[in-house]
Amino acid sequence: MKSACVTGATGYVASELIRQLLSRGYAVKATVRCQPDNLRLQYLRDLADSYSGSLQLVQVQNLLEASEALDTALAGSEYVFHVASPFRFDGDPNLDIVQPAVRGTQTLLEAAAKHKPSVKRVIVTSSVCAIHDMNRKQQPKHEQYCEEDWNEVSTIDTEAYWVSKVQAERVAWQLAEQLGLDIITILPNFVLGPVISSQQAGSVSVGFMTGILESPAGREFTGSWTVNDVRDVAAAHILAAENPKAHGRYAAAYLQCAACDLVLFMYVIVSTRYISTHVLHVMTMATILLQVHLHERQKTKRSCRETMTAVRWI
């Protein structure tokens, strides 16, 4: 049985990653802050009961410091997925966002190095924020942004989250060389898709969608968003771990959607009442929007209705 460790088990991407690992028969150890028997984690235990893999929740109260608990989580793991990192836009930019991201990455990699050679590879969840700034003021090296680009213009005062992803990934690559670790970084853009539990109702991604649904009449939506489906992001992590030829950085952004189109599709879906706007369905709605957008010029209204009906109970 293959084995893996996932940090930040209750996170949006991490939960989906755990689900996919379990479905592949992995023995998974996942870090959580609270006691493993906490009722808030029942949905994770339920996942383990639904698939052939096994799940051990390990309480690691502080991922920013080395601990026996973290060593326990890493022990015996072939692959380590470091997903945990602050995804927030409030608080102190340095103390609450940048430092925890950098220190958490450093602590995890230093701990993983102690478990060589059982740890074959570490997959670090970065972000396209490490490639370009929020408004893309920095010009790409080639025609489009790619893995060769590094964000060098974001500042901690205005784009702290962007800075956190840049610094954390740079530290990851520096430590990988120093410690002799095989690491790969996955750089998704804005992640949408279905949530596994209502525990994730407060995530930034869910808040993004509900914010649009609850926005006041007359609000203008401009620009565009580049997005990923959470299931694809999780799958990319696993492919990066298992493929021996994988190396370096992998940007995972795949669809650019005009803001006005996204809002229009949301209006159509909600108005036809094919999907509940309950929080557990909000992210499923986002996934449907992506599917509709990909084929908007070919799909008829009938096709759209069939797509929505097919996934209404996800």
Side-chain angles (χ1 to χ4, degrees):
M1 180 180 286
K2 293 182 179 180
S3 56
C5 173
V6 179
T7 64
T10 58
Y12 181 35
V13 172
S15 292
E16 174 60 25
L17 175 58
I18 290 170
R19 187 191 70 79
Q20 292 191 24
L21 289 169
L22 291 172
S23 71
R24 290 169 174 254
Y26 272 77
V28 181
K29 292 183 179 180
T31 69
V32 293
R33 291 183 180 179
C34 58
Q35 291 286 343
D37 59 356
N38 192 298
L39 289 176
R40 293 178 57 249
L41 305 178
Q42 185 59 47
Y43 74 97
L44 292 173
R45 294 189 288 270
D46 290 342
L47 281 179
D49 293 338
S50 303
Y51 296 103
S52 58
S54 64
L55 176 64
Q56 178 183 350
L57 299 175
V58 181
Q59 184 182 24
V60 181
Q61 294 179 319
N62 186 2
L63 277 173
L64 307 186
E65 298 178 358
S67 65
E68 291 184 7
L70 181 56
D71 286 333
T72 297
L74 293 168
S77 297
E78 296 177 61
Y79 305 121
V80 176
F81 298 92
H82 181 46
V83 189
S85 189
F87 186 23
R88 56 187 296 184
F89 302 98
D90 60 349
D92 184 278
N94 188 40
L95 295 178
D96 297 325
I97 302 175
V98 177
Q99 285 190 23
V102 173
R103 184 57 185 163
T105 300
Q106 180 179 352
T107 299
L108 186 282
L109 292 180
E110 289 174 346
K114 295 190 297 182
H115 292 271
K116 294 186 303 181
S118 63
V119 171
K120 296 179 180 179
R121 177 172 284 174
V122 180
I123 312 301
V124 178
T125 308
S126 184
S127 167
V128 293
C129 294
I131 289 179
H132 62 70
D133 58 298
M134 180 168 59
N135 296 315
R136 305 186 183 191
K137 293 176 290 187
Q138 178 178 310
Q139 293 299 310
K141 290 184 177 181
H142 304 289
E143 184 177 349
Q144 295 181 334
Y145 291 104
C146 66
E147 291 85 350
E148 295 179 29
D149 293 296
W150 280 90
N151 177 0
E152 298 177 347
V153 300
S154 291
T155 64
I156 194 170
D157 294 331
T158 59
E159 298 177 7
Y161 177 71
W162 281 253
V163 173
S164 76
K165 303 311 288 188
V166 173
Q167 293 191 9
E169 189 182 348
R170 286 197 182 279
V171 164
W173 287 113
Q174 291 168 2
L175 287 175
E177 183 175 358
Q178 295 172 13
L179 301 173
L181 286 171
D182 179 8
I183 79 163
I184 292 175
T185 57
I186 302 296
L187 297 82
N189 212 302
F190 195 72
V191 181
L192 300 177
V195 296
I196 290 178
S197 167
S198 60
Q199 298 293 334
Q200 296 162 337
S203 73
V204 174
S205 293
V206 174
F208 171 80
M209 298 304 294
T210 55
I212 292 178
L213 287 172
E214 299 171 358
S215 61
R219 177 180 173 184
E220 182 180 3
F221 292 91
T222 60
S224 61
W225 295 299
T226 306
V227 297
N228 296 109
D229 186 291
V230 66
R231 292 164 292 191
D232 293 333
V233 174
H237 282 69
I238 297 173
L239 287 171
E242 294 181 340
N243 189 337
K245 295 182 180 180
H247 67 280
R249 313 171 82 201
Y250 289 94
Y254 77 88
L255 173 65
Q256 191 169 51
C257 182
C260 57
D261 288 342
L262 184 60
V263 176
L264 175 61
F265 292 137
M266 292 184 72
Y267 171 77
V268 170
I269 291 173
V270 174
S271 64
T272 54
R273 298 183 181 180
Y274 274 93
I275 293 180
S276 166
T277 55
H278 186 276
V279 68
L280 288 177
H281 295 92
V282 168
M283 302 313 291
T284 298
M285 182 188 306
T287 301
I288 297 168
L289 298 178
L290 303 186
Q291 296 173 5
V292 174
H293 181 75
L294 281 172
H295 305 285
E296 62 179 278
R297 295 185 179 179
Q298 294 80 27
K299 292 285 187 179
T300 63
K301 288 185 178 181
R302 176 174 173 273
S303 297
C304 291
R305 286 197 297 270
E306 289 174 348
T307 301
M308 290 183 283
T309 303
V311 297
R312 63 183 299 186
W313 299 115
I314 290 179

